[in-house]
Amino acid sequence: MTEPGSNVTEIDARLAAEALIVDVDGFEGPLDLLLSLSRTQKVDLRTISVLALAEQYLSFVDRAKALRIELAADYLVMAAWLAFLKSKLLLPPDPKEDGPSAEEMADHLAFQLERLAAMREAAARLMGRDRLGRDVFARGMPEGISTHRNVMYQATLLDLMQAYARIRTKDDFRPYVMDREAILTMEQALDRLRGMIAFAGQWSDLASYLPVEWQGDSARRRSSLASTFAATLELAKEGRVELRQSDIFGPIELRKTPE
Amino acid sequence: MTDQDDDMPPGADPEELGALEDPGLFDAPPLAEQERMVEAMLFATSEPLTLREMGTRMPQGCDPATAVAMLQNHYRGRGVNVVQVGGAWALRTAPDVSFLMQKEVVETRKLSRAAIETLAIIAYHQPATRAEIEEIRGVAVSRGTIDLLLDLDWIRIGRRRETPGRPVTFIVTEAFLDHFSLSSARDLPGLGELRAAGLLDARRMPGQQEDAAETDDAGPEDEEDEGQEEMF
Amino acid sequence: MTDQDDDMPPGADPEELGALEDPGLFDAPPLAEQERMVEAMLFATSEPLTLREMGTRMPQGCDPATAVAMLQNHYRGRGVNVVQVGGAWALRTAPDVSFLMQKEVVETRKLSRAAIETLAIIAYHQPATRAEIEEIRGVAVSRGTIDLLLDLDWIRIGRRRETPGRPVTFIVTEAFLDHFSLSSARDLPGLGELRAAGLLDARRMPGQQEDAAETDDAGPEDEEDEGQEEMF
């Protein structure tokens, strides 16, 4: 047991500090806390002593620190700024330094507090107005008014003729496209192979799967070989055929995957 | 009528008269005030209100029946009327101004390029299957385009083509001819005339014979259906 | 005023007067009739209607502005009033009889202090950017607060501020005016005093460059498009 007297002061101090700390949750940021502290000065916000306010704020932050209360970063930023402002207010102005004077900064802080207080009051007055659904009421049985949009499409004979002429002209002047006569597409090859693969129980040369009618012309043969080969790879990926090639440039052989 | 105390005969005891008319501890509001209350309630409520319901909401000693009767009188001949719905009361807009509540707006829109081209192809090549339209336009024809033209009653479904799959064909309608002031689809200018009108470039691909629409002029007369199949 | 033809001076040519007063092919309905129409329309909706919206529904030659003014006069002092909401008009119950509507009250969730303050800042400073709101409150505005206000349709996104980053601004809506019984944002309580006290000025911390907020005092006056932005 320690001496009762000091114990009491300690408890008082702790309670006072805790009262403030408990409130920290209720504060909406450092400006709100400052506004709250400024009320203790019981003066018009325009004539507030910013220096006194800064001291109050800094001692609040110190107490919070002493109690190992984690303060949000913006409270600490404000503390640093106020410490800076306090030192500027206490020291004689440095003529070489440019930037705002301590008085200007203090003025602005007072303005911010006054503006916040004014907005709070305005918000309260706004909320106190006659409100729809509470003090005044809209029609309870609206019958509704509606707009039906009827779209009418217009086209003239000339539009029709021009459209037709456009299509026909497009044919006459169609842009050059690659002639696909000599191309066997992979889809075509794949379609062919899918039909034939059921019968490929034995290893057999890929060349035997090429369509006969594509063998005459060399361009057509190359195309059919390429697409058929690509198609076998696709079927191999699907797990439906197996492929093998015994040596480099040797014949490629395939067979149906044994079941 | 508590609000007419001023009119009472000279010599009458105001206390006594008041006591006769208003047995409540407090005076009921003047009737004009009661009418305002009924008005506000009937306006704001989402369901018709009975006199009883109104009475329970109003201050003691009020007479909703009289107030409603006054209100009904006030709204007589106006844009809104006090009407009785079953055993309850409601405010309703007057029937003769109901035309204001519904507005029909006609919007004129131009046909999309896809629609007008599809229509042109059907008109020039009818009967035309969807595949044929796509072949000529070189792009797929969306279901919506055909539906719109069907909807407008400018095309209709013709005979099925007797080819594999028996695809439906589209032909233009009377309404189409009406809209474009044509007496028949044969009146559509042929390619030669389009060219003469400067709508079609005069040059032709070498070796290509006069096609489609050119034969139109002769074609459809004979057989509605077959005559045009050779176009493709 | 075609319904006052009877009052014209003797000897005047009715044809000529009519032609002067009503250039339309058909006479517009008498004003009393127009008043009924406006009354019915305002009753039929729970949302405010603009004069334009009313005008497009009424017969040609009608004058909804005069009709609304007459209607407003007719409803003065009654249980239901004609009120202006921004650029539109609505019927609303008189505030003094709200006690009758207890049953109609929809329980609204309580707004947080942050939401209330943010709303007030936007209303009094509009158009206001998020940064400006944070500057005034001295604390970050959570996404949820703005979302809630947008959700309630009390604020909406205005024009982008033409400053670096082109931040969006927020302005209050007609629904906001309607909810708080304001006929325009100019009627915000205490607006004049706050302005006179310089508390609505976009003052920045001395030494910081003037940006953003400073420009809007000049800005909106030039371009007329938003209406709301020039209320102040």
Side-chain angles (χ1 to χ4, degrees):
Chain A
M1 278 288 278
T2 44
E3 194 206 324
S6 77
N7 201 10
V8 167
T9 11
E10 206 175 293
I11 288 166
D12 279 351
R14 281 248 296 277
L15 279 178
E18 269 167 16
L20 268 173
I21 276 104
V22 168
D23 261 353
V24 152
D25 295 319
F27 287 120
E28 301 236 347
L31 212 53
D32 186 28
L33 172 57
L34 276 169
L35 189 59
S36 197
L37 292 173
S38 73
R39 297 251 153 78
T40 60
Q41 294 192 21
K42 291 192 175 72
V43 289
D44 188 330
L45 280 170
R46 280 163 196 270
T47 56
I48 196 165
S49 160
V50 170
L51 184 59
L53 190 59
E55 273 163 357
Q56 276 174 283
Y57 185 94
L58 292 171
S59 77
F60 167 82
V61 170
D62 284 345
R63 266 183 292 159
K65 275 187 187 153
L67 289 163
R68 295 171 189 275
I69 302 289
E70 293 263 348
L71 280 176
D74 49 350
Y75 286 88
L76 300 178
V77 170
M78 176 63 87
W81 187 81
L82 285 173
F84 168 70
L85 177 61
K86 183 180 147 190
S87 68
K88 278 193 86 161
L89 284 169
L90 292 173
L91 296 169
D94 180 352
K96 283 184 298 227
E97 199 183 87
D98 47 355
S101 70
E103 278 72 27
E104 283 170 331
M105 287 164 72
D107 269 359
H108 189 73
L109 180 63
F111 167 74
Q112 281 180 296
L113 292 175
E114 196 190 351
R115 181 172 63 179
L116 180 60
M119 279 298 116
R120 293 246 162 104
E121 198 194 320
R125 283 164 80 179
L126 192 61
M127 290 296 140
R129 287 187 62 82
D130 288 336
R131 290 172 56 183
L132 190 65
R134 192 190 70 181
D135 309 297
V136 298
F137 295 85
R139 181 79 173 120
M141 279 182 275
E143 291 153 67
I145 66 179
S146 58
T147 304
H148 295 277
R149 255 165 236 292
N150 297 322
V151 178
M152 241 182 75
Y153 283 94
Q154 263 307 328
T156 64
L157 187 57
L158 188 65
D159 293 332
L160 196 70
M161 286 159 53
Q162 277 173 337
Y164 191 64
R166 191 163 60 223
I167 300 165
R168 301 317 306 202
T169 320
K170 192 168 66 192
D171 274 355
D172 289 352
F173 297 99
R174 77 188 175 104
Y176 175 76
V177 290
M178 208 187 337
D179 197 348
R180 296 177 68 109
E181 286 263 290
I183 305 273
L184 181 71
T185 66
M186 193 184 110
E187 285 72 30
Q188 285 171 303
L190 201 53
D191 275 352
R192 265 177 55 83
L193 272 185
R194 278 190 212 279
M196 299 164 77
I197 199 68
F199 308 104
Q202 303 299 315
W203 287 109
S204 48
D205 192 340
L206 176 70
S208 63
Y209 289 90
L210 300 183
V212 183
E213 64 275 21
W214 284 70
Q215 297 310 303
D217 180 65
S218 68
R220 286 165 64 86
R221 196 161 51 82
R222 273 202 306 274
S223 170
S224 64
L225 180 62
S227 53
T228 304
F229 175 60
T232 59
L233 292 180
E234 184 64 31
L235 288 175
K237 198 168 99 186
E238 289 173 13
R240 300 184 53 191
V241 300
E242 290 177 343
L243 294 175
R244 75 175 183 195
Q245 187 177 28
S246 40
D247 54 328
I248 297 167
F249 297 120
I252 297 166
E253 293 178 300
L254 71 145
R255 69 167 181 189
K256 185 174 71 170
T257 307
E259 270 138 58
Chain B
M1 312 250 177
T2 48
D3 55 335
Q4 286 171 10
D5 278 353
D6 295 348
D7 296 334
M8 73 191 141
D13 181 3
E15 295 281 330
E16 205 179 295
L17 264 184
L20 270 176
E21 291 179 1
D22 180 14
L25 192 55
F26 301 104
D27 279 349
L31 264 175
E33 202 51 41
Q34 295 185 35
E35 188 189 335
R36 288 183 73 227
M37 293 178 186
V38 167
E39 185 178 32
M41 281 189 285
L42 291 182
F43 173 85
T45 181
S46 52
E47 269 153 48
L49 289 176
T50 62
L51 293 176
R52 234 182 85 87
E53 284 165 334
M54 290 186 257
T56 56
R57 296 198 202 180
M58 291 163 81
Q60 264 220 309
C62 281
D63 175 7
T66 309
V68 167
M70 286 169 68
L71 192 71
Q72 192 170 26
N73 213 35
H74 177 83
Y75 276 99
R76 187 156 291 139
R78 296 208 47 98
V80 172
N81 302 142
V82 178
V83 297
Q84 193 164 9
V85 184
W89 295 88
L91 284 165
R92 287 266 183 263
T93 53
D96 66 317
V97 285
S98 63
F99 71 93
L100 294 163
M101 312 312 162
Q102 295 230 327
K103 193 169 69 158
E104 304 284 329
V105 185
V106 178
E107 246 175 48
T108 323
R109 258 186 238 167
K110 266 189 108 59
L111 273 186
S112 70
R113 179 172 164 151
I116 189 88
E117 286 185 7
T118 302
L119 182 63
I121 291 166
I122 294 169
Y124 274 89
H125 294 262
Q126 67 172 337
T129 66
R130 189 198 191 101
E132 288 159 3
I133 298 164
E134 295 184 342
E135 163 93 21
I136 296 175
R137 286 198 64 222
V139 291
V141 174
S142 79
R143 173 95 230 150
T145 303
I146 297 277
D147 284 350
L148 173 67
L149 295 173
L150 286 168
D151 238 41
L152 287 168
D153 193 24
W154 281 350
I155 62 168
R156 63 181 179 85
I157 290 173
R159 234 183 296 173
R160 279 182 185 276
R161 180 69 48 76
E162 290 307 334
T163 52
R166 304 188 66 241
V168 297
T169 62
F170 298 101
I171 54 180
V172 294
T173 62
E174 287 291 318
F176 165 86
L177 298 175
D178 258 13
H179 184 94
F180 292 94
S181 312
L182 295 163
S183 49
S184 87
R186 284 190 298 271
D187 290 354
L188 280 168
L191 281 185
E193 289 161 274
L194 291 177
R195 196 174 294 120
L199 288 170
L200 204 59
D201 199 286
R203 278 182 298 153
R204 310 206 50 111
M205 291 268 279
Q208 210 179 328
Q209 68 235 89
E210 293 289 291
D211 61 0
E214 218 70 26
T215 61
D216 249 18
D217 301 328
E221 257 120 329
D222 333 324
E223 314 123 274
E224 278 238 333
D225 231 311
E226 251 74 300
Q228 291 184 320
E229 306 221 5
E230 68 226 30
M231 283 176 188
F232 307 105
Chain C
M1 319 237 172
T2 51
D3 57 333
Q4 285 172 10
D5 278 354
D6 296 347
D7 298 337
M8 75 191 137
D13 180 4
E15 294 282 329
E16 205 178 295
L17 267 183
L20 272 174
E21 291 181 0
D22 180 15
L25 189 56
F26 302 104
D27 281 349
L31 265 175
E33 199 53 37
Q34 295 185 33
E35 188 187 333
R36 287 184 72 224
M37 292 180 186
V38 166
E39 185 178 33
M41 283 188 281
L42 291 180
F43 254 91
T45 67
S46 44
E47 307 292 309
L49 286 178
T50 63
L51 293 178
R52 230 181 87 86
E53 283 165 335
M54 291 186 258
T56 58
R57 285 166 190 273
M58 294 166 80
Q60 264 219 308
C62 281
D63 176 7
T66 308
V68 167
M70 286 169 66
L71 192 71
Q72 190 173 28
N73 215 34
H74 178 82
Y75 276 95
R76 186 156 291 139
R78 298 206 49 98
V80 173
N81 301 144
V82 178
V83 298
Q84 185 172 8
V85 181
W89 297 85
L91 282 166
R92 297 287 179 253
T93 58
D96 66 317
V97 287
S98 66
F99 68 93
L100 296 161
M101 258 64 74
Q102 290 317 322
K103 272 182 72 177
E104 255 64 63
V105 174
V106 193
E107 272 312 313
T108 46
R109 63 186 144 156
K110 229 172 132 50
L111 283 176
S112 69
R113 181 167 147 185
I116 294 170
E117 285 182 18
T118 302
L119 179 65
I121 290 167
I122 292 169
Y124 283 83
H125 290 261
Q126 67 173 330
T129 64
R130 191 196 194 91
E132 288 158 5
I133 298 163
E134 296 184 340
E135 154 91 18
I136 294 173
R137 295 195 64 229
V139 65
V141 174
S142 78
R143 171 96 232 147
T145 302
I146 297 277
D147 284 351
L148 173 69
L149 295 175
L150 285 168
D151 225 47
L152 286 166
D153 192 23
W154 283 351
I155 63 168
R156 65 181 177 84
I157 290 173
R159 237 183 299 170
R160 280 179 185 279
R161 182 68 50 73
E162 290 305 332
T163 52
R166 304 188 65 237
V168 297
T169 60
F170 298 100
I171 56 182
V172 293
T173 62
E174 205 160 81
F176 164 87
L177 298 177
D178 198 12
H179 186 91
F180 292 99
S181 311
L182 294 161
S183 33
S184 88
R186 275 185 294 263
D187 295 344
L188 282 167
L191 187 69
E193 295 91 303
L194 287 172
R195 177 164 319 105
L199 289 168
L200 300 182
D201 297 350
R203 262 209 257 163
R204 301 245 119 198
M205 178 62 76
Q208 279 178 7
Q209 72 231 41
E210 316 273 303
D211 61 352
E214 218 63 33
T215 58
D216 65 327
D217 291 329
E221 252 102 347
D222 324 329
E223 314 132 72
E224 284 246 4
D225 65 341
E226 296 276 318
Q228 266 194 299
E229 311 216 359
E230 311 166 55
M231 280 175 184
F232 309 115

